Amino acid sequence: KNEVEQSPQNLTAQEGEFITINCSYSVGISALHWLQQHPGGGIVSLFMLSSGKKKHGRLIATINIQEKHSSLHITASHPRDSAVYICAVRSGGGADGLTFGKGTHLIIQP
Amino acid sequence: ETGVTQTPRHLVMGMTNKKSLKCEQHLGHNAMYWYKQSAKKPLELMFVYNFKEQTENNSVPSRFSPECPNSSHLFLHLHTLQPEDSALYLCASSQDPSGRLLSYEQYFGPGTRLTVT
C-alpha cells in the first residue's frame, strides 16, 4: 500500500502570502488528486494530475513523477482559502490502490 | 437541484438502532462512492458502485450495508453500530467508464455527521 505524507500538517499565514503544500508518496502512481475540505466537511476536487503542471485561478499544482512528489501552490492567499487540503493517490487497481494523506490544515489570517 | 446531495446532514443513533444514509447525484455520473472520515484520520474508501454494481468493498464490517438501486442513488444502511463508527460519511460520484478508482474527477456531497451513542 502506498504511503502518502503531506507537509506541513498545519500552516498559518497572512493574507497575500504565497502558500506551498507538499505531498510525497512511496510507490509509483497513475493519478494524484488535490482536494479541498472546508469546515463542516464539504470536499471539492481541485486538481487531478498524472504529470506536469495544472493551473486554475490562483491555484497551481505540480507533480514530479521521478521524485514521487507533488506540490499545491496558492498565490495571493485569501482568508477564504482557509481549509484542509488533502492529497490522494491511485497506485493500483481496486480499493487498496487508493490512499489519502492526512491533510494540511491551512489558516489564512486577514 | 444540482451536484451531490446527502441526507440527513446530522444523525445521532444508539447502538441498537437501524438507520440509513442517502446520497443522490444529479450529474449523470455512473460511479458512486462511500467514504468514511474519522477524527484525526485520513479519508477511507468504503464502497464503490459502477453502473449500479458494487465493484469494491474495502474490508468494511457487515454492520454497514450499501445499496445502489440506480446510478443516481446510493444508500448506506446502518445497524448495531459501535461508538467508534462515529464519523463523517461522505458520498461522491464520478463519470468513470473504466471503473478505475480516482482516474476521473470526483464530486463530493456535503457529508453526514454520524454520532453513535
Side-chain angles (χ1 to χ4, degrees), chain B residues 51-80:
Chain B
F51 290 109
K52 303 186 299 180
E53 299 292 325
Q54 184 177 318
T55 57
E56 296 297 336
N57 175 345
N58 199 12
S59 303
V60 179
S62 59
R63 56 185 183 271
F64 295 91
S65 174
E67 178 190 0
C68 188
N70 55 62
S71 57
S72 298
H73 294 85
L74 185 64
F75 294 90
L76 187 62
H77 303 299
L78 316 171
H79 67 97
T80 59

Side-chain angles (χ1 to χ4, degrees), chain A residues 37 40-43, chain B residues 4-13 19-24 33-39 41-47 60-61 63-66 74-92 108-116:
Chain A
Q37 185 171 30
I43 292 179
Chain B
V4 182
T5 58
Q6 289 187 242
T7 55
R9 295 293 307 275
H10 299 272
L11 177 62
V12 179
M13 60 186 289
K19 297 285 185 183
S20 295
L21 309 185
K22 179 183 176 182
C23 175
E24 185 172 0
Y33 311 78
W34 278 118
Y35 289 91
K36 175 184 177 182
Q37 187 177 41
S38 303
K41 290 185 178 181
L43 274 168
E44 301 171 56
L45 179 65
M46 299 175 73
F47 300 104
V60 179
R63 56 185 183 271
F64 295 91
S65 174
L74 185 64
F75 294 90
L76 187 62
H77 303 299
L78 316 171
H79 67 97
T80 59
L81 294 191
Q82 305 298 310
E84 59 263 29
D85 296 322
S86 298
L88 180 68
Y89 289 85
L90 290 152
C91 173
F108 285 83
T112 296
R113 178 75 61 185
L114 173 67
T115 303
V116 181

Side-chain angles (χ1 to χ4, degrees), chain A residues 1 30-33 35 37 40-46 48 86 88-90 92-96 98-102, chain B residues 9 35 37 40-45 48 56-58 88 90 99-111 113:
Chain A
K1 192 170 174 70
S30 58
L32 181 145
H33 290 242
L35 309 173
Q37 185 171 30
I43 292 179
V44 174
S45 177
L46 298 176
M48 185 180 71
I86 300 169
V89 302
R90 181 178 178 276
D96 287 347
L98 198 60
T99 309
F100 292 84
K102 292 184 178 180
Chain B
R9 295 293 307 275
Y35 289 91
Q37 187 177 41
K40 309 294 184 184
K41 290 185 178 181
L43 274 168
E44 301 171 56
L45 179 65
V48 181
E56 296 297 336
N57 175 345
N58 199 12
L88 180 68
L90 290 152
R100 296 186 301 165
L101 303 179
L102 272 200
S103 295
Y104 296 85
E105 184 177 5
Q106 298 211 334
Y107 294 78
F108 285 83
R113 178 75 61 185

